[in-house]
Amino acid sequence: MTGNTPDGPTAPSLDAGSRRSSPATLEDVARAAGVSLATASRSLNGSSRTVNAAYRSKVLDAAARLNYSPNLSAQAVARGSTMTVALVVADITDPYFSSIAAGVVAEADQGRLIVTMAATERDSERELEIVRTLRGQRPKVIILAGSRREGDPSEEALRRELEDYERAGGRVVLISRNELGFRTVQIDNASGAADLATALVGLGYRRFSVLTGNRELKTAADRLDGFTSGLERAGIRVEADRVVQSAFTRDGGYEGMRSLIAAGVQADEVVFAVNDVMAVGALSALRDAGLTPGADVAVAGFDDIPTVQDVWPTLTTVNVPLVEVGRAALRLALEETDASVSADSDASTAPGSPVATSVVVRDSTPRRA
Amino acid sequence: MTGNTPDGPTAPSLDAGSRRSSPATLEDVARAAGVSLATASRSLNGSSRTVNAAYRSKVLDAAARLNYSPNLSAQAVARGSTMTVALVVADITDPYFSSIAAGVVAEADQGRLIVTMAATERDSERELEIVRTLRGQRPKVIILAGSRREGDPSEEALRRELEDYERAGGRVVLISRNELGFRTVQIDNASGAADLATALVGLGYRRFSVLTGNRELKTAADRLDGFTSGLERAGIRVEADRVVQSAFTRDGGYEGMRSLIAAGVQADEVVFAVNDVMAVGALSALRDAGLTPGADVAVAGFDDIPTVQDVWPTLTTVNVPLVEVGRAALRLALEETDASVSADSDASTAPGSPVATSVVVRDSTPRRA
DNA sequence: CGCGATCGAGAAAGCGCTTGCCGAGCGTCC
DNA sequence: GGACGCTCGGCAAGCGCTTTCTCGATCGCG
């Protein structure tokens, strides 16, 4: 760049004049404080060794005066590890994921961690590619929030990639379902759905349809299975042609509901959509077909995303504490890395036990007379 | 030339055996390919200089074999600049922000950029603090998506911080409103609101109330001003006591609507909430009060977030292409940095002109007889 | 009062990568 | 056929930081 610059006596950088700009470096601080680089570094971060109070405050003063802020990349290189948490979601605009993201971000900045986001757009090839490029970041943690599909050909490659990553010292955390053999914030999809089934039977419903977003999606499958087995306990079976597959999205719910309507719906029936965004789409499909959700056909969802309290009728669903799930994911990742805070982990976030879900009955499933 | 293998005899890294873990470095690749570090670096990234095809492919092979992935932190240190885009939002769960975030993320990974997220929780102190800690990341771009308040005491500090950042080579982009003198993806809040007012008058409404989330919020103020001046063009004034302030959130909308109801609402009235989440809250407040939105009181919002198509009645609002706004923000930031792609920027994202908004009339504002 | 133990500042060696510069090899031009 | 470029590897000097190690100074203790 500027050549050799013996720097001391000549100080060539000053004559350049007014436009100097780059942020202060640790060396600037050390020089300004009249101490060595090592002492400056230790005063500002170095935990393992103490620094004489007088020196320390000289350094702190100088740092404040120069508005010094350590270059995180350089720290990462020197330390061999970053403060980055990588969050991989399917779709940021989906409230399910944005709630989780909010939790991760909230937890992260209590630990001075940086969170980076990437979106798979529900494409497992893209997910794999994202995880691959993530390696370059050398994140401390990778959190995978989306569910994977049954029999996905790239799953094995993903697992290997993640195993390599953990072998290099990283931590992987999965959300919802342990599909790959890593730490997981489990959401009890099956028993949540079973509880919902029980509650609906209790409300007097006897006919059931299911909007299952892509049955191959393991989360969707768990919810469907839980739901049907909950019904079985009451001696009720869901007819195969009343289980319709569609995309795991709002539009998927809309389309699925349309085909259900086309096949004929009954007034004593409840349609269970395996997630809330689909349920919300289903409500709209009903209305667009001239039906009144709740009265003509009951609807229930899963997740309890914020918006379901503002649709009409308000949606019966299974609450999942999504923001808390996001926080728990990060805590779980850091658990043994930090070697602290391990004692006070409350039951709801304990490594093994799944996050508790609870049925919330609202207006979309009125009690049958 | 492959015969000599100068490193053969010593090769100390191999005997370590099974537990080796850290990712391959460029040096590993260079050694495996039998070339120098420089050549390896240039083959894998170095743009300015060409590398003999034979060498190049040896390097590429070795890199693939070792599953090499360049350490981004080290690159950042060596190059003096990162590939990071920092996005600062008020609240990730708010669809307004998550839509913008989705746009930023989508645009980012077309440019191999990494996006990091932080949430201010609508607290300007926190915002300032976030921007300060962001400096450590040395991001290439900082995108500020939230609006600021009139007369905020920390605004000046924020501006200085951002100016320092730009002086150091960064790029700041604001969204919605140029409150601080940086590049901005402007959203035409005032004229969008004015158009909405005109449309509502056209539908036969003559009485208006406004739910303004914290009047000090400049975006809220612009929308209010635009709305009232649109009405003035039709010779209509909004009575001062029909403008209620509350939080810029769903709950704020709910509370605001409650107080409007308490003061008495009329059937020929439309309540304009300055954003959609507030409007959605208002709808719920109406229903909880036993009123039927649309029929008893009309409601309109602003932003056209996805959910407003699924509430009932569907919400009349002003469309803002939020995802596109996010993309445009990043493009705008990179514009002169990249020194390319500058020609084909379509009109909607041209630096100066605000993003186009358009009124969308739905069921929440039926035509008055 | 002397000697080992302790403390803590500073020099310096990295961390993984980029890039300015040198110089070997080769083509080209008159 | 000789001088003059060019092209392109490789050396080595960084980038901003951490951390080991060295070593002088200080302290405690008998």
Side-chain angles (χ1 to χ4, degrees):
Chain A
M1 289 101 205
T2 50
N4 60 350
T5 64
D7 69 277
T10 47
S13 56
L14 290 183
D15 63 66
S18 52
R19 295 310 272 123
R20 94 152 302 195
S21 53
S22 9
T25 69
L26 186 59
E27 185 171 352
D28 297 335
V29 174
R31 194 177 310 141
V35 302
S36 74
L37 221 50
T39 301
S41 171
R42 290 195 273 252
S43 307
L44 293 169
N45 330 310
S47 37
S48 63
R49 268 185 53 178
T50 58
V51 173
N52 177 313
Y55 281 68
R56 179 193 199 77
S57 71
K58 273 203 291 186
V59 172
L60 263 36
D61 279 6
R65 209 171 337 120
L66 297 179
N67 198 10
Y68 172 74
S69 157
N71 182 324
L72 260 36
S73 296
Q75 284 190 320
V77 168
R79 289 184 177 149
S81 74
T82 67
M83 294 299 272
T84 300
V85 175
L87 174 61
V88 181
V89 301
D91 173 8
I92 301 170
T93 62
D94 183 325
Y96 174 84
F97 293 109
S98 61
S99 296
I100 289 175
V104 172
V105 168
E107 186 76 20
D109 70 31
Q110 293 183 357
R112 313 200 137 285
L113 296 168
I114 297 173
V115 6
T116 72
M117 294 230 345
T120 66
E121 318 285 1
R122 304 177 196 279
D123 173 344
S124 61
E125 303 272 336
R126 257 186 76 55
E127 179 177 40
L128 178 57
E129 197 197 336
I130 284 171
V131 170
R132 287 208 165 114
T133 56
L134 242 37
R135 299 189 53 178
Q137 278 182 51
R138 308 281 191 270
K140 201 189 193 71
V141 175
I142 295 181
I143 299 176
L144 259 37
S147 177
R148 259 146 300 283
R149 297 183 151 73
E150 198 66 57
D152 190 319
S154 61
E155 179 168 316
E156 195 46 39
L158 180 63
R159 184 206 315 283
R160 265 201 305 279
E161 195 69 37
L162 292 172
E163 277 166 356
D164 283 1
Y165 166 73
E166 284 218 325
R167 207 166 298 125
R171 283 268 181 263
V172 174
V173 172
L174 269 27
I175 285 178
S176 178
R177 192 179 193 290
N178 190 349
E179 294 156 355
L180 297 165
F182 296 93
R183 326 174 166 226
T184 304
V185 177
Q186 283 182 267
I187 296 174
D188 208 336
N189 293 304
S191 75
D195 292 349
L196 176 64
T198 304
L200 292 172
V201 170
L203 287 169
Y205 291 94
R206 293 294 177 269
R207 302 169 74 88
F208 298 86
S209 299
V210 181
L211 256 31
T212 174
N214 202 326
R215 194 175 218 140
E216 290 146 17
L217 257 188
K218 295 176 183 172
T219 294
D222 286 350
R223 292 177 179 180
L224 172 57
D225 292 350
F227 192 73
T228 55
S229 70
L231 291 181
E232 273 164 19
R233 281 205 288 274
I236 299 175
R237 298 195 47 198
V238 181
E239 291 163 41
D241 64 341
R242 299 307 284 173
V243 176
V244 346
Q245 284 195 52
S246 52
F248 207 57
T249 61
R250 184 268 179 201
D251 289 349
Y254 188 95
E255 289 308 325
M257 190 71 233
R258 273 172 61 90
S259 62
L260 235 30
I261 293 169
V265 288
Q266 317 241 351
D268 62 344
E269 174 171 16
V270 38
V271 175
F272 168 52
V274 296
N275 72 25
D276 282 350
V277 294
M278 293 184 71
V280 163
L283 293 180
S284 286
L286 284 169
R287 267 189 304 255
D288 289 355
L291 297 168
T292 302
D296 295 332
V297 179
V299 177
F302 201 115
D303 286 337
D304 202 15
I305 60 176
T307 51
V308 302
Q309 303 190 41
D310 289 313
V311 295
W312 184 254
T314 56
L315 191 72
T316 292
T317 189
V318 179
N319 174 272
V320 179
L322 294 169
V323 174
E324 178 54 26
V325 165
R327 304 190 83 119
L330 188 47
R331 275 200 300 267
L332 183 56
L334 266 25
E335 212 147 72
E336 284 146 45
T337 304
D338 259 10
S340 69
V341 199
S342 50
D344 63 355
S345 66
D346 42 288
S348 70
T349 63
S353 66
V355 170
T357 61
S358 62
V359 175
V360 184
V361 176
R362 297 206 182 89
D363 301 331
S364 65
T365 58
R367 177 175 293 281
R368 295 288 303 162
Chain B
M1 45 195 69
T2 51
N4 60 352
T5 63
D7 55 337
T10 46
S13 55
L14 290 183
D15 62 66
S18 52
R19 292 311 272 124
R20 94 154 302 194
S21 55
S22 13
T25 70
L26 186 59
E27 187 171 350
D28 297 334
V29 174
R31 194 177 309 140
V35 301
S36 74
L37 222 50
T39 301
S41 171
R42 290 196 273 250
S43 305
L44 293 169
N45 329 311
S47 39
S48 62
R49 270 183 53 174
T50 58
V51 172
N52 177 314
Y55 282 70
R56 179 193 198 78
S57 71
K58 274 203 291 189
V59 172
L60 262 37
D61 280 6
R65 209 170 338 119
L66 297 178
N67 199 10
Y68 172 73
S69 158
N71 182 322
L72 261 36
S73 297
Q75 284 190 319
V77 170
R79 289 187 177 145
S81 74
T82 67
M83 295 298 273
T84 300
V85 175
L87 174 62
V88 181
V89 300
D91 173 8
I92 301 170
T93 62
D94 184 326
Y96 175 83
F97 293 110
S98 60
S99 296
I100 290 175
V104 172
V105 168
E107 187 75 21
D109 69 29
Q110 293 184 357
R112 313 199 137 286
L113 297 167
I114 297 172
V115 5
T116 73
M117 294 229 348
T120 66
E121 317 285 1
R122 304 177 196 281
D123 174 343
S124 61
E125 303 272 337
R126 258 186 75 55
E127 178 176 40
L128 178 58
E129 198 197 334
I130 284 171
V131 170
R132 286 207 165 117
T133 56
L134 241 37
R135 299 188 53 177
Q137 277 183 52
R138 308 281 191 271
K140 201 188 193 71
V141 175
I142 295 181
I143 299 177
L144 259 38
S147 177
R148 261 145 300 282
R149 298 184 149 73
E150 197 67 57
D152 190 319
S154 61
E155 178 168 317
E156 194 46 39
L158 180 63
R159 186 206 314 284
R160 265 201 304 278
E161 196 68 37
L162 293 171
E163 277 166 357
D164 283 0
Y165 167 72
E166 284 219 325
R167 208 167 296 124
R171 283 270 182 263
V172 174
V173 172
L174 270 27
I175 285 179
S176 178
R177 193 178 193 291
N178 190 350
E179 293 156 355
L180 298 164
F182 296 93
R183 332 178 159 221
T184 303
V185 176
Q186 284 182 267
I187 295 174
D188 207 336
N189 293 304
S191 74
D195 292 347
L196 176 63
T198 305
L200 292 171
V201 171
L203 287 169
Y205 292 95
R206 293 294 176 270
R207 302 169 74 87
F208 298 86
S209 299
V210 182
L211 256 31
T212 175
N214 203 325
R215 194 175 218 139
E216 291 148 15
L217 257 188
K218 295 177 184 173
T219 293
D222 286 350
R223 292 178 179 181
L224 172 58
D225 292 349
F227 192 73
T228 54
S229 71
L231 291 180
E232 272 164 21
R233 281 206 289 273
I236 299 174
R237 297 195 49 195
V238 181
E239 291 162 41
D241 64 342
R242 299 306 283 173
V243 176
V244 347
Q245 285 196 53
S246 52
F248 207 57
T249 61
R250 183 267 179 201
D251 290 349
Y254 188 95
E255 289 308 325
M257 189 72 232
R258 274 173 60 91
S259 64
L260 234 31
I261 293 168
V265 286
Q266 316 241 351
D268 62 344
E269 174 170 16
V270 39
V271 175
F272 168 52
V274 295
N275 72 24
D276 282 350
V277 295
M278 293 184 71
V280 163
L283 292 180
S284 287
L286 283 168
R287 268 191 302 256
D288 288 354
L291 297 169
T292 302
D296 294 332
V297 180
V299 176
F302 202 114
D303 286 337
D304 202 16
I305 60 176
T307 52
V308 301
Q309 303 189 42
D310 289 313
V311 296
W312 185 254
T314 57
L315 192 71
T316 292
T317 188
V318 179
N319 175 271
V320 180
L322 294 170
V323 175
E324 179 53 29
V325 164
R327 306 189 80 119
L330 187 47
R331 275 200 300 268
L332 182 57
L334 266 26
E335 212 147 72
E336 285 147 44
T337 303
D338 258 10
S340 69
V341 201
S342 50
D344 63 356
S345 65
D346 42 291
S348 68
T349 63
S353 65
V355 170
T357 60
S358 61
V359 175
V360 183
V361 176
R362 298 206 182 88
D363 301 330
S364 65
T365 57
R367 177 175 294 281
R368 296 287 304 162

